[in-house]
Amino acid sequence: SSGINAEYGVPCSQYKAKNKYYWRMYTDKSWKIFLIAGILFLTYTWINLRWQGWYGTELEPRCVVPSEEVEDMRDLGRKTRTVLEKHGLRFILGFGSLWGALRIGDILPWDIDIDLLVMVDRGADIGSIVHNVIRDMKEEGLIVYYRDWIGIVQAYSPVYHSQLDISIWCDYYGTGTMHRCTGIEPWAFWVHHRKKYAFPAHLVQPPLPSLSFINESWPVPHGGIELQKIHYPNDWWKVSKPKGC
């Protein structure tokens, strides 16, 4: 006797057969779902690790930037510094500009922009900070945009279209690690960002050391090249020039 299932009132054999059918149907679908999810996750991780970012410069790399353009870039840096200091913002030289300060005390001969990192407190009203900085930079006669995707303020001089980038950083999670806290890219490609951009907060704790840059003393991170080892993990020990230089 197969017996009767008390809950559904059907023979147990029929109940087991239906269960087996539904279980088979479920497992047939679930492994496909897990497979697709796994492929998507691996693809997302692969893109993260290979992502280089896109920063939209309109300038072509050159071995030596003409002196009048370099001076224009210096003027752009000075005007931006005036605005940042007016708002009491903590900032440092970063990326190629930090290399310039470390190596020659000025803009590298082939560098086409100035890079500044601005540190803000966790929970600060970043929207207001960005708005006020852009407003005052425009009052200095500069052309300024906020790039939503990358979360960077980009400024240009009106004469030679020299470029300056401001990225905004904070200890977002309160864990002693600085993250870029504006834009979509740092969140969409968080694996890449944490691996190649995030850095220990103690490198930018005040008081900051300084180095000569564009004939002035500019704040830089602690530890000399320690920040560059994070941002240039594959070639921090060598001078990397544009191709053909």
Side-chain angles (χ1 to χ4, degrees):
S1 168
S2 60
I4 300 296
N5 180 276
E7 184 176 358
Y8 295 100
V10 297
C12 287
S13 58
Q14 185 179 343
Y15 174 76
K16 290 178 181 178
K18 283 186 176 180
N19 269 359
K20 194 175 293 185
Y21 168 76
Y22 288 128
W23 173 251
R24 189 184 306 115
M25 186 171 62
Y26 169 77
T27 53
D28 285 348
K29 288 183 177 179
S30 62
W31 76 264
K32 293 176 183 177
I33 293 171
F34 284 124
L35 178 62
I36 292 171
I39 292 172
L40 291 175
F41 176 77
L42 291 174
T43 302
Y44 172 75
T45 303
W46 180 81
I47 292 173
N48 259 267
L49 294 175
R50 294 183 62 85
W51 180 256
Q52 296 301 313
W54 180 80
Y55 298 96
T57 181
E58 298 177 11
L59 304 175
E60 292 295 328
R62 289 170 287 181
C63 297
V64 178
V65 176
S67 59
E68 61 271 17
E69 294 184 31
V70 173
E71 188 54 44
D72 188 57
M73 212 184 312
R74 291 183 182 126
D75 185 60
L76 174 60
R78 294 186 191 105
K79 287 180 177 178
T80 302
R81 177 176 186 168
T82 298
V83 171
L84 297 179
E85 290 179 339
K86 172 185 174 182
H87 290 282
L89 294 171
R90 180 164 43 106
F91 62 93
I92 59 168
L93 296 171
F95 302 105
S97 297
L98 181 53
W99 278 134
L102 288 166
R103 289 173 175 162
I104 64 172
D106 204 346
I107 300 169
L108 293 171
W110 54 86
D111 205 355
I112 57 175
D113 63 1
I114 291 177
D115 300 292
L116 300 179
L117 281 60
V118 170
M119 271 60 65
V120 298
D121 293 331
R122 182 185 179 198
D125 186 354
I126 297 174
S128 294
I129 292 172
V130 170
H131 171 79
N132 294 335
V133 166
I134 290 176
R135 179 199 61 208
D136 290 357
M137 290 177 74
K138 286 182 177 179
E139 289 178 359
E140 291 285 338
L142 304 176
I143 303 164
V144 192
Y145 303 97
Y146 177 72
R147 306 296 189 188
D148 295 284
W149 170 254
I150 54 178
I152 285 177
V153 175
Q154 287 187 328
Y156 302 89
S157 71
V159 181
Y160 290 101
H161 214 56
S162 299
Q163 181 175 324
L164 180 146
D165 294 339
I166 301 174
S167 53
I168 301 172
W169 302 72
C170 62
D171 184 359
Y172 188 82
Y173 300 103
T175 58
T177 300
M178 301 300 289
H179 298 268
R180 267 172 51 205
C181 46
T182 54
I184 300 169
E185 184 196 59
W187 307 103
F189 297 96
W190 62 273
V191 175
H192 167 81
H193 172 72
R194 292 193 181 190
K195 182 178 175 63
K196 294 188 177 180
Y197 285 97
F199 60 87
H202 68 79
L203 293 179
V204 291
Q205 289 300 313
L208 290 165
S210 61
L211 287 173
S212 177
F213 185 72
I214 61 172
N215 302 318
E216 296 178 354
S217 181
W218 282 69
V220 295
H222 296 284
I225 64 171
E226 291 306 307
L227 182 58
Q228 302 298 69
K229 290 180 180 180
I230 297 170
H231 289 165
Y232 298 88
N234 301 319
D235 58 2
W236 60 266
W237 59 88
K238 62 183 181 181
V239 177
S240 296
K241 298 182 180 181
K243 290 181 179 179
C245 298

